């Protein structure tokens, strides 16, 4: 079985020999067994919190390169008559800790009839579709940006007075 554990950067121009097509919930797992587009079994191991994004490429000890492809899955396309209404919809989705893909003039969320009713109540046009789902990583999601001094790579700086609690924190320590 092929093993994948390393994301390749843009400087590595090796062509992929196969694709790994996965829905979002599978692309955010740190341990996964799947089947490549060519029928080969593959084991994927990533650091906890890593999300495999559409178009990324991975390799492992065998040196073979695999391209990650976001699978089409049941989603809702959320569109509004104006930017203010779309912003209100994004606020209410965020208030419910709902993952959302933000696009130019639209939001995309996983199919959920309760959220659809809420969005329609906010005057959004909600259309069922089958599409690749690429939600925002979140302000403190991994990958790029600032270091927090603990080996983390934050997408946004943490305000100086804000305390971020981590599993290894000692209660009462400043």
């Amino acid at each position: 079985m092929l093993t994948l554990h390393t994301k390749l950067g843009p400087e590595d121009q090796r062509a992929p020999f196969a694709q790994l097509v996965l829905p979002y919930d599978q692309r955010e797992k740190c341990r996964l067994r799947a089947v490549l587009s060519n029928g080969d079994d593959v084991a994927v191991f990533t650091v906890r919190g890593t999300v495999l994004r559409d178009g990324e490429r991975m390799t492992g000890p065998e040196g073979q390169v695999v391209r990650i492809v976001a699978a089409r899955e049941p989603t809702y396309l959320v569109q509004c008559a104006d930017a203010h209404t779309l912003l209100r919809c994004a606020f209410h989705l965020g208030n419910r800790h709902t993952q959302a893909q933000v696009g130019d003039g639209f939001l995309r969320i996983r199919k959920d009839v309760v959220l659809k009713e809420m969005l329609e109540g906010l005057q959004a046009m909600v259309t069922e579709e089958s599409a690749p789902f690429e939600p925002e990583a979140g302000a403190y999601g991994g990958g790029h940006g600032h270091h927090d001094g603990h080996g983390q790579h934050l997408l946004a700086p943490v305000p100086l007075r804000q305390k971020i609690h981590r599993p290894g924190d000692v209660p009462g320590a400043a």
Side-chain angles (χ1 to χ4, degrees), residues 77-90 92 105 107 115-127:
L77 179 67
V78 181
Q79 297 174 302
C80 298
D82 56 73
H84 181 261
T85 305
L86 188 63
L87 183 59
R88 287 184 67 227
C89 290
H92 286 284
L107 301 171
L115 292 176
K116 179 183 181 194
E117 289 176 10
M118 177 196 72
L119 293 165
E120 288 173 338
L122 293 168
Q123 306 306 308
M125 296 161 282
V126 182
T127 308

Side-chain angles (χ1 to χ4, degrees), residues 8 24-25 35-36 50 54 64 98 103 105 118-119 123 142 156 172:
L8 297 175
Y24 182 77
D25 65 339
V35 177
L36 297 173
T50 299
D54 186 62
Q64 295 170 300
T98 300
M118 177 196 72
L119 293 165
Q123 306 306 308

Side-chain angles (χ1 to χ4, degrees), residues 94-147:
N95 198 38
R96 283 153 185 80
H97 302 282
T98 300
Q99 291 178 316
Q101 180 176 345
V102 179
D104 189 14
F106 72 90
L107 301 171
R108 181 172 288 123
I109 62 171
R110 286 188 178 115
K111 188 174 173 183
D112 181 314
V113 290
V114 173
L115 292 176
K116 179 183 181 194
E117 289 176 10
M118 177 196 72
L119 293 165
E120 288 173 338
L122 293 168
Q123 306 306 308
M125 296 161 282
V126 182
T127 308
E128 189 173 326
E129 64 177 2
S130 176
F133 185 54
E134 286 286 348
E136 288 291 308
Y140 302 110
H144 310 297
H146 301 52
H147 291 276

Side-chain angles (χ1 to χ4, degrees), residues 36-60:
L36 297 173
S37 59
N38 65 3
D40 291 351
D41 286 336
V42 66
V44 180
F45 298 96
T46 60
V47 175
R48 184 177 295 190
T50 299
V51 175
L52 301 176
R53 296 293 182 172
D54 186 62
E56 290 182 332
R57 293 172 305 123
M58 294 189 72
T59 190

Side-chain angles (χ1 to χ4, degrees), residues 10-49:
E11 69 282 351
D12 188 320
Q13 294 297 312
R14 289 181 284 167
F17 85 102
Q19 295 181 340
L20 179 56
V21 182
L22 298 169
Y24 182 77
D25 65 339
Q26 297 291 303
R27 290 184 286 126
E28 63 181 351
K29 292 187 177 204
C30 60
R31 294 194 178 357
L32 173 71
R33 183 176 178 169
V35 177
L36 297 173
S37 59
N38 65 3
D40 291 351
D41 286 336
V42 66
V44 180
F45 298 96
T46 60
V47 175
R48 184 177 295 190

Side-chain angles (χ1 to χ4, degrees), residues 60-83:
E62 298 87 355
Q64 295 170 300
V65 176
V66 172
R67 182 174 180 265
I68 306 301
V69 176
R72 298 180 79 76
E73 53 188 298
T75 60
Y76 286 137
L77 179 67
V78 181
Q79 297 174 302
C80 298
D82 56 73

